[in-house]
Amino acid sequence: VKILLLGKDGQVGWELQRALAPLGEVLALGHASAGEDCGDLTDTVGLARTVKRFNPEVIVNAAAYTAVDNAESEERLAFEVNAEAAALLARLAAERDALLVHYSTDYVFDGSGQAPWRETDPVGPRNVYGRSKLQGEQAIQTSGCRHLIFRTSWIYAARGANFTKTVLRLAAERDTLTMIDDQKGVPTGADLIADTTALAIRQLASGSRAHCGIYHLAAAGETSWYDYARHVLRQAQALGAPLKATDLAVQPVPSSAFPLAAVRPLNSRLNTSKLRDTFDLVMPPWQAGVDRVLTEILSK
Ligand code: NDP
């Protein structure tokens, strides 16, 4: 299988480089990739030329504008990368009957209620980032291309910027931490997302339209940022990390204590039964992946 991977240096893109390798020939491009092999999603001409030249059977788009708060003041760029580039990739995929794999977010929902969101639930993004990601999803769905869209949440990895690493840094600098306890969701490892992607591509690369569509992809269980932070610190302590703040020094606060440019949904839980049933997968508990990444980070 010929696979074009975009966004190779992001959290998910980095893990995809590893997970996609056994599937075939992978051309992995990043934001800075230019010339013959253009990986900049805002360079529509370069991107189209690259797809035409490489002629992939699968396009995996792990690139995105992910700066949620900055998106409030950079709406144009957020839509260019998350919506317009997704539409272009869908068109390019449709032209050659390639499979397009794309990622979206729990932020397409308004965060109401307590129940994990299903794929068929009504959307209602509360910030610019969520609206730009939703428009990207819709462009792919209406393009007619074979596609897989994975909506995921609270991504972490050993590489890249994420909450797990922020908690470790803050706990090394401060005696006490305050963490939001009224937003609920599921931390999901970039490695789990990449491995699930590879397994799904294996089932679809033959050209079948069966199983195309949108799926919720998250680890099992749920937590709040507060309990997530406490878990990280308990594990980090057990692994011998020198910390000023222990898990007992974390104070719970409501979202209102941390006013940010972009409003976050309170309920980010995702129901993953469609993914599990369709691809016959088991999603591991979120703690397992976090513990692995902590071991990796702290053993460096
Ligand atoms: P990252 O922010 O780690 O990686 C995104 C990558 O996209 C970066 O390498 C970035 O490069 C690149 N990028 C940004 N703009 C462009 C551009 N114009 N052209 C090409 N590349 C560009 O994202 P994640 O791996 O965490 O996210 C993967 C997917 O999952 C995304 O679709 C995201 O929207 C979605 N998602 C993420 C969540 C999270 O918690 N992070 C939660 C739910 C969904 P550079 O750094 O140079 O800008």
Side-chain angles (χ1 to χ4, degrees):
V1 188
K2 280 179 85 174
I3 304 175
L4 173 62
L5 167 62
L6 298 163
K8 73 176 175 71
D9 299 312
Q11 297 188 90
V12 173
W14 183 255
E15 291 293 331
L16 280 166
Q17 290 191 52
R18 170 190 58 73
L20 297 178
L23 297 185
E25 183 188 353
V26 180
L27 175 61
L29 303 178
H31 199 167
S33 306
E36 276 280 277
D37 293 331
C38 170
D40 182 350
L41 263 58
T42 61
D43 182 348
T44 52
V45 174
L47 211 52
R49 193 179 349 102
T50 301
V51 172
K52 201 168 167 194
R53 190 191 61 74
F54 184 63
N55 197 21
E57 296 158 270
V58 181
I59 301 172
V60 182
N61 178 30
Y65 181 104
T66 55
V68 175
D69 290 306
N70 295 349
E72 297 296 311
S73 54
E74 287 191 321
E75 183 161 352
R76 187 71 224 100
L77 182 58
F79 272 81
E80 200 177 345
V81 178
N82 293 342
E84 288 156 29
L88 172 63
L89 291 173
R91 234 178 9 257
L92 294 167
E95 277 168 20
R96 48 191 41 76
D97 198 30
L99 169 68
L100 175 61
V101 182
H102 183 79
Y103 302 92
S104 190
T105 168
D106 55 283
Y107 282 20
V108 299
F109 295 112
D110 67 7
S112 59
Q114 306 284 322
W117 296 102
R118 289 181 176 275
E119 289 81 354
T120 46
D121 284 334
V123 289
R126 304 199 56 193
N127 54 43
V128 169
Y129 169 75
R131 286 199 292 280
S132 71
K133 294 296 292 183
L134 177 62
Q135 190 172 309
E137 286 183 1
Q138 291 170 338
I140 293 169
Q141 286 171 312
T142 55
S143 72
C145 78
R146 288 192 296 124
H147 64 269
L148 284 170
I149 299 170
F150 294 116
R151 283 191 191 133
T152 185
S153 67
W154 295 20
I155 300 179
Y156 64 86
R159 188 188 145 100
N162 56 63
F163 180 80
T164 299
K165 290 168 78 176
T166 303
V167 168
L168 287 178
R169 180 174 50 78
L170 292 177
E173 294 168 3
R174 304 182 186 173
D175 298 324
T176 58
L177 305 183
T178 47
M179 291 288 159
I180 290 169
D181 73 342
D182 58 0
Q183 291 174 23
K184 300 283 163 45
V186 192
T188 302
D191 52 355
L192 178 66
I193 296 169
D195 291 342
T196 303
T197 300
L199 287 166
I201 289 175
R202 273 295 287 237
Q203 296 197 29
L204 265 78
S206 60
S208 155
R209 278 193 176 259
H211 302 340
C212 282
I214 192 157
Y215 294 89
H216 288 175
L217 195 182
E222 64 174 67
T223 187
S224 64
W225 295 114
Y226 166 70
D227 282 320
Y228 179 9
R230 292 190 64 196
H231 178 86
V232 167
L233 295 183
R234 263 196 309 276
Q235 282 300 313
Q237 261 186 300
L239 291 165
L243 302 174
K244 278 193 184 167
T246 69
D247 61 305
L248 300 175
V250 186
Q251 306 292 328
V253 291
S255 303
S256 54
F258 273 118
L260 295 166
V263 176
R264 265 72 170 169
L266 294 181
N267 175 20
S268 281
R269 301 170 181 91
L270 295 174
N271 181 318
T272 61
S273 55
K274 181 182 174 196
L275 177 83
R276 287 181 283 127
D277 294 348
T278 306
F279 295 104
D280 194 19
L281 295 173
V282 175
M283 289 293 115
W286 66 266
Q287 294 92 334
V290 169
D291 294 355
R292 261 189 84 250
V293 158
L294 281 172
T295 307
E296 194 176 337
I297 294 170
L298 294 171
S299 63
K300 275 180 191 158

